[in-house]
Amino acid sequence: MIEDHGEGLDLGIPGAYVASYADVPGYPACGTEPIEHEGITWYPFRPTNEGDLPEVPAVASSGGMGGGTMRLVLPAVAAPGPGDDVGTLTVFEGGFAYWVSDSGDLATWLTTTEIRYSWVC
């Protein structure tokens, strides 16, 4: 387990693309909410080496930006809007993934490395 103090983490660089999965539930509004998929827990993190990470192909969405390396940080947890709590999970080798909501308004990098967050939202 590693600690995230809100300053971002350098967890390395994702390996090759593995697969993409549509309709994956999640709502990483605070950046501390893990996403569960097929028995794997994915922990959100803000990479400090974002320029070294692969560009994630844009995905079909119901609107919004989609794809890329966008990350929205909300000051408080608001109820999810349409398409905010389900999205596409793109998995890479090495325990990395990228999740983007169907609305395109929320996106985050994820890792299988367990993270303990030092803030409460």
Side-chain angles (χ1 to χ4, degrees), residues 28-32 44-47 50 69-73 98 105-109 119:
C30 281
T32 61
F45 75 100
R46 183 177 52 85
E50 196 163 354
T69 55
M70 182 273 302
R71 178 179 166 90
L72 178 67
V73 178
Y98 186 79
D105 292 335
L106 295 171
T108 187
W109 277 100
W119 69 90

Coordinates of all heavy atoms in Angstrom, one line a residue, residues 28-32 44-47 50 69-73 98 105-109 119:
P28 N -15.6 8.7 -9.8 CA -14.4 9.3 -9.1 C -14.4 10.8 -8.9 O -13.5 11.5 -9.3 CB -13.2 8.8 -10.0 CG -13.9 8.9 -11.4 CD -15.3 8.4 -11.2
A29 N -15.4 11.3 -8.3 CA -15.6 12.7 -8.1 C -14.6 13.3 -7.2 O -14.1 14.5 -7.4 CB -17.0 13.0 -7.6
C30 N -14.1 12.6 -6.2 CA -13.1 13.1 -5.2 C -11.7 12.7 -5.6 O -10.8 13.2 -5.1 CB -13.5 12.7 -3.8 SG -14.7 13.7 -3.0
G31 N -11.6 11.6 -6.3 CA -10.3 11.1 -6.6 C -9.9 10.0 -5.6 O -8.7 9.6 -5.6
T32 N -10.8 9.6 -4.8 CA -10.5 8.6 -3.8 C -11.4 7.3 -3.9 O -11.3 6.4 -3.1 CB -10.7 9.1 -2.3 OG1 -12.0 9.5 -2.2 CG2 -9.7 10.3 -2.1
P44 N -7.8 5.3 -8.1 CA -7.5 6.5 -8.8 C -6.3 7.2 -8.3 O -6.0 7.2 -7.1 CB -8.8 7.3 -8.7 CG -9.4 6.9 -7.5 CD -9.1 5.4 -7.3
F45 N -5.5 7.8 -9.2 CA -4.4 8.6 -8.8 C -4.2 9.7 -9.9 O -4.6 9.6 -11.1 CB -3.2 7.8 -8.6 CG -2.5 7.3 -9.9 CD1 -1.4 7.9 -10.4 CD2 -3.0 6.2 -10.5 CE1 -0.8 7.4 -11.6 CE2 -2.4 5.7 -11.7 CZ -1.3 6.3 -12.2
R46 N -3.5 10.8 -9.5 CA -3.1 11.9 -10.4 C -1.6 11.7 -10.7 O -0.8 11.9 -9.8 CB -3.4 13.2 -9.8 CG -3.0 14.4 -10.7 CD -3.4 15.7 -10.1 NE -2.8 15.9 -8.8 CZ -1.6 16.4 -8.6 NH1 -0.8 16.7 -9.6 NH2 -1.2 16.6 -7.4
P47 N -1.3 11.3 -11.9 CA 0.2 11.1 -12.2 C 0.9 12.4 -12.3 O 0.5 13.3 -12.8 CB 0.1 10.4 -13.5 CG -1.2 10.6 -14.1 CD -2.1 11.0 -13.0
E50 N 2.5 12.7 -16.1 CA 1.4 12.6 -17.0 C 1.9 12.7 -18.5 O 1.4 12.1 -19.4 CB 0.3 13.7 -16.8 CG -1.0 13.3 -17.5 CD -2.1 14.1 -16.9 OE1 -2.0 14.8 -15.9 OE2 -3.2 14.0 -17.5
T69 N -6.3 12.8 -21.5 CA -5.8 12.7 -20.2 C -6.4 13.8 -19.3 O -5.8 14.3 -18.4 CB -4.3 12.8 -20.1 OG1 -3.9 14.0 -20.7 CG2 -3.6 11.6 -20.8
M70 N -7.7 14.1 -19.6 CA -8.4 15.1 -18.8 C -8.7 14.6 -17.4 O -9.0 13.4 -17.2 CB -9.7 15.5 -19.5 CG -10.5 16.6 -18.9 SD -11.8 16.0 -17.7 CE -12.7 14.9 -18.6
R71 N -8.7 15.4 -16.4 CA -9.1 15.0 -15.1 C -9.8 16.2 -14.5 O -9.2 17.3 -14.4 CB -7.9 14.6 -14.2 CG -8.3 14.3 -12.8 CD -7.0 13.8 -12.0 NE -7.3 13.8 -10.6 CZ -7.8 12.7 -10.0 NH1 -8.0 11.6 -10.6 NH2 -8.0 12.8 -8.7
L72 N -11.0 16.0 -13.9 CA -11.7 17.0 -13.3 C -11.7 16.8 -11.8 O -11.9 15.8 -11.3 CB -13.2 17.0 -13.8 CG -14.2 18.0 -13.2 CD1 -13.8 19.4 -13.6 CD2 -15.6 17.6 -13.6
V73 N -11.3 17.9 -11.1 CA -11.3 17.8 -9.6 C -12.4 18.7 -9.1 O -12.4 19.9 -9.3 CB -9.9 18.3 -9.1 CG1 -9.9 18.2 -7.6 CG2 -8.8 17.4 -9.7
Y98 N -7.3 3.5 -17.4 CA -7.8 4.9 -17.6 C -9.3 4.8 -17.7 O -9.8 4.0 -18.5 CB -7.2 5.6 -18.8 CG -7.6 7.0 -18.9 CD1 -7.0 8.0 -18.2 CD2 -8.6 7.4 -19.8 CE1 -7.3 9.3 -18.3 CE2 -8.9 8.8 -20.0 CZ -8.3 9.7 -19.2 OH -8.6 11.0 -19.3
D105 N -17.2 14.1 -18.7 CA -16.9 15.1 -17.7 C -15.9 14.7 -16.6 O -15.4 15.5 -15.8 CB -18.2 15.6 -17.1 CG -19.0 16.4 -18.1 OD1 -18.4 17.0 -19.0 OD2 -20.2 16.5 -17.9
L106 N -15.8 13.3 -16.4 CA -14.9 12.8 -15.4 C -14.0 11.8 -16.0 O -14.4 11.0 -16.8 CB -15.7 12.1 -14.3 CG -16.6 13.0 -13.4 CD1 -17.5 12.1 -12.5 CD2 -15.8 13.9 -12.6
A107 N -12.7 11.8 -15.6 CA -11.7 10.9 -16.1 C -10.6 10.7 -15.1 O -10.3 11.7 -14.4 CB -11.2 11.3 -17.4
T108 N -10.0 9.6 -15.0 CA -8.9 9.4 -14.1 C -8.0 8.2 -14.5 O -8.5 7.3 -15.1 CB -9.4 9.2 -12.6 OG1 -8.3 9.2 -11.7 CG2 -10.2 7.9 -12.5
W109 N -6.7 8.3 -14.2 CA -5.8 7.2 -14.3 C -6.0 6.3 -13.0 O -6.4 6.8 -12.0 CB -4.4 7.7 -14.3 CG -4.0 8.1 -15.7 CD1 -3.9 9.3 -16.2 CD2 -3.7 7.2 -16.8 NE1 -3.6 9.3 -17.6 CE2 -3.4 8.0 -17.9 CE3 -3.6 5.8 -16.9 CZ2 -3.0 7.4 -19.2 CZ3 -3.2 5.3 -18.2 CH2 -2.9 6.1 -19.3
W119 N -6.8 12.4 2.4 CA -7.8 13.5 2.5 C -9.2 12.8 2.4 O -9.4 11.7 2.0 CB -7.7 14.5 1.4 CG -8.0 14.0 0.0 CD1 -9.2 14.0 -0.6 CD2 -7.1 13.4 -0.9 NE1 -9.1 13.5 -1.9 CE2 -7.8 13.1 -2.1 CE3 -5.7 13.1 -0.9 CZ2 -7.2 12.4 -3.2 CZ3 -5.1 12.5 -2.0 CH2 -5.9 12.2 -3.1

